[in-house]
Structures are given as structure tokens and as C-alpha cells.
Amino acid sequence: METWKQLAAVQPVATKMMMNMINQERISHAYLFHGQKGTGKQAVSTLLAKSIFCTNKVGEEPCHTCKNCVRIASGNHPDVHHIIPDGASIKKDQILHLQKEFTYTGLESNRKVYIITDADKMTVNAANRLLKFLEEPSKQTTAILLTENVHGIINTIRSRCQIIALRPLDEKQMQLLLQRKGISELNARLFAALTHNLDEAEALDQDEWFAQARNLVVQLIDLLQFKSEEALLFIQKQWMPHFANREQLQLGLDLLVLWFKDMIYLHVGKEESLVYTSYKEKVEKSVMYWSKDDTTEVLYAMMEAKKKLEQNIHPTLLMEQLTLRMQR
């Protein structure tokens, strides 16, 4: 999403607000963009910085080719400063360094922009230093804060920012965008159900690990129906080695959840909502094996397992317990 027009296709409300402010030359001294991962926070911050510095802007749209636009896109503009967490948090020294940088005259103009990614991860001391910075705004300075957790930012900072929410794409929007990028309809349906992040979805389409993960889900379902006595051994020997860390195992559970949701769709006559359309016959066989009540109970067990996985629960034990609950 390199232009305001492209961004408007997925974030119409937020984009319209920003375009109006740029056209009316009423850019705020501080913005707080919040939304889930993949909703376009970085894209908005880059576009806003370009719109501020572009030398060949047409209306609200930066040219994307001038010296300023090119350097902002590459992260190398001397008057656009980026702050990201240093380890697990954004520290006071990072904000102090930013303030020191802003005491100097701009290298090429008096305009300055700073972008703070994961702003909710500021320590208390860092947040208090930033607050003092925001309390004395300069007309030549624009702060851009990005976060997935708006409530993790102290009220006094939020009150000094123009807060703009970025909404997650719905599945139909996501699917259409993925198909326009050349991803097959079948894969686009699955990726749209798994993530709201276009970049993540495109990466999954090229990922051999993910293709094997999907195959393992189908194999586990088959074993549970036809060779249930082998299911636990399969978990130990094939499933756990492939889903080797907690993040991968969460994705494996998500894939299982989608399979059982498809079963619910068939149970209630909503075939058009299927995600695993390429495995429709197998899902239909699953419906013959697990009743609607069985399927609902398994779904609850899976959601419980996903929560436990975020705690200090041994992943293999968790999967073995879930497998036993999936067996009839």
C-alpha cells in the first residue's frame, strides 16, 4: 500500500481523515495510529511523512519519486527519526536521545517527524519524558505513535494525540486483495481466515513449511477417524517436530480450529462459508464421524489449548491431551 488511494481501499475512514487534513494543511503535531498487526500502521506513517516532505506533491498524494520520498521509503531521511523497542521495551535514554536530536536545526528544512513503533512498550520513565516533549509541541514537528494496544499508552499521552483507529480487514476484503496479487482462490480463503496481514498471507503462500503444516492437519484428522490408536504416536513423531515452537504450534491449532469450524458450517447447512474447500469431501467425512455436539466440544477444547499454550504449559503434553479429547 504505497499510495493514499491504495490505502483507502482497505482503510477508507482513516484514509479520508488523513487526506482531508493534508489537503487543508491541518496536520496535527501528534498522531496515534492503533490497530491489529497488518492493518497498515507503518504504511500510514510512511505516507504521512512523505506527504509532509514531498517536493512534488499533487493534492494529498506524494510523488514517491523525489529525493525526500525515496529516502523516507528506505528509512534514510535525516529529518525522519524512527524509534523501536530496544529489546522488550522503549527506554528513557531513547527518548532523551530523540529530544537531543530535535534541539539541532533540521539538516534540510525546519520540519521534523518522529515515528515510534510499538509505543505501548515505553517504560514509565520513557513515557513521562515523551509526555514533556508533547506538552510543548512545535508547529514544525510531527509525532507519529504506532501501537496494537492503545490502552497500553498512558492517558496523558493519548489526550495529546489525534487518535486514529485502523480496522482489520474482513475476510472477504482480504481474500479479494490476495487474489488480485495472484494467489489462488482456495489459498486466499484459507489465508484470509488465518491472518489480517497481507504480507504474512503472501509469505504463507510461498512457505514450504506451511504447506507441510496443512498436510499434517489433514493426516491427523484422517488418523483420528480411521486409525485413532496411532494418533498419539503421530503427535510425538511428526506433529511436534514440525510445530517446534509455540508460535508454530499456535498456527497448527488455528488450522485445526478452521477444520472443525468447517464441520460446523456443514452441520448447519452453510456450505458457502467453508474454508477448506479443496478438502470438502474429507470435511464431509469428518461430519459423519463427529456429531455437531462433538464438534462444538472439540472446538472449545482447542480454544482452551490455545490459551494454555500462552502460559507455561508443556506443548507436547498439551497436544496429547487435546488429541485424546478429539478422539470419540
Side-chain angles (χ1 to χ4, degrees):
M1 293 179 287
E2 296 183 350
T3 68
W4 288 115
K5 183 177 180 180
Q6 289 173 340
L7 190 62
V10 294
Q11 295 291 348
V13 177
T15 302
K16 184 176 181 180
M17 290 174 62
M18 294 307 304
M19 290 169 66
N20 286 340
M21 282 187 271
I22 293 167
N23 274 323
Q24 296 169 16
E25 297 184 352
R26 295 176 60 187
I27 294 176
S28 174
H29 75 280
Y31 291 94
L32 174 55
F33 296 108
H34 70 95
Q36 296 178 13
K37 185 177 180 181
T39 49
K41 297 184 294 295
Q42 288 290 348
V44 173
S45 66
T46 299
L47 276 169
L48 178 54
K50 285 183 178 181
S51 295
I52 289 171
F53 286 100
C54 180
T55 56
N56 298 315
K57 189 171 60 183
V58 178
E60 72 285 339
E61 195 67 64
C63 70
H64 307 288
T65 58
C66 71
K67 184 179 179 181
N68 284 338
C69 284
V70 170
R71 288 187 298 177
I72 289 170
S74 64
N76 293 317
H77 195 288
D79 294 323
V80 179
H81 301 261
H82 296 265
I83 294 180
I84 62 173
D86 178 11
S89 63
I90 294 172
K91 298 173 175 59
K92 177 182 176 181
D93 286 346
Q94 292 177 271
I95 304 299
L96 288 172
H97 178 73
L98 176 70
Q99 290 176 304
K100 184 178 179 181
E101 287 289 321
F102 274 55
T103 62
Y104 305 135
T105 303
L107 293 179
E108 298 180 15
S109 73
N110 290 325
R111 293 290 321 209
K112 285 181 178 286
V113 169
Y114 60 95
I115 300 170
I116 302 180
T117 300
D118 293 331
D120 57 289
K121 294 183 180 179
M122 285 186 288
T123 64
V124 173
N125 287 334
N128 287 331
R129 288 303 310 182
L130 180 67
L131 179 59
K132 291 182 179 180
F133 208 14
L134 292 172
E135 285 176 338
E136 300 175 358
S138 165
K139 291 182 180 179
Q140 300 297 311
T141 298
T142 301
I144 303 173
L145 280 60
L146 312 178
T147 183
E148 294 179 28
N149 177 22
V150 68
H151 299 294
I153 296 175
I154 60 176
N155 289 333
T156 45
I157 287 180
R158 294 208 307 265
S159 67
R160 285 162 174 78
C161 296
Q162 174 84 42
I163 300 176
I164 297 181
L166 301 179
R167 298 180 179 179
L169 295 175
D170 65 40
E171 289 187 17
K172 288 184 179 179
Q173 281 181 310
M174 185 77 170
Q175 184 182 334
L176 287 173
L177 286 170
L178 290 173
Q179 287 180 242
R180 288 173 190 167
K181 290 177 175 287
I183 294 176
S184 70
E185 181 181 353
L186 298 180
N187 280 347
R189 285 178 76 94
L190 177 59
F191 300 151
L194 283 172
T195 178
H196 296 295
N197 189 318
L198 283 170
D199 292 335
E200 282 185 4
E202 289 185 83
L204 290 176
D205 193 52
Q206 303 297 322
D207 192 345
E208 292 183 10
W209 178 91
F210 179 79
Q212 179 60 19
R214 180 165 43 187
N215 289 337
L216 288 173
V217 168
V218 177
Q219 290 176 46
L220 177 58
I221 296 295
D222 282 345
L223 284 176
L224 287 168
Q225 292 176 88
F226 307 114
K227 295 182 180 180
S228 61
E229 70 280 1
E230 297 180 14
L232 285 177
L233 184 62
F234 175 83
I235 293 295
Q236 295 166 2
K237 298 296 184 182
Q238 296 191 55
W239 184 276
M240 294 311 301
H242 190 73
F243 299 99
N245 59 51
R246 290 176 188 269
E247 184 178 347
Q248 291 175 338
L249 188 51
Q250 284 284 12
L251 181 55
L253 289 172
D254 286 338
L255 288 169
L256 282 170
V257 166
L258 291 176
W259 189 282
F260 277 77
K261 279 187 175 179
D262 274 2
M263 290 163 56
I264 291 290
Y265 290 141
L266 289 183
H267 274 301
V268 299
K270 294 184 64 177
E271 184 178 319
E272 70 281 0
S273 299
L274 287 179
V275 171
Y276 284 102
T277 51
S278 57
Y279 296 100
K280 181 184 173 185
E281 290 185 5
K282 286 184 174 291
V283 179
E284 288 173 340
K285 289 180 181 179
S286 297
V287 169
M288 300 298 291
Y289 184 79
W290 283 281
S291 69
K292 183 180 176 182
D293 287 342
D294 292 334
T295 305
T296 302
E297 288 182 16
V298 170
L299 277 171
Y300 278 122
M302 288 177 179
M303 301 311 296
E304 183 181 334
K306 283 179 62 63
K307 290 180 182 178
K308 287 183 177 178
L309 189 58
E310 295 175 358
Q311 304 163 7
N312 195 24
I313 305 296
H314 194 281
T316 301
L317 178 61
L318 181 145
M319 274 307 302
E320 289 174 346
Q321 291 174 341
L322 178 60
T323 302
L324 291 172
R325 294 183 71 174
M326 284 193 286
Q327 291 175 330
R328 275 189 5 189

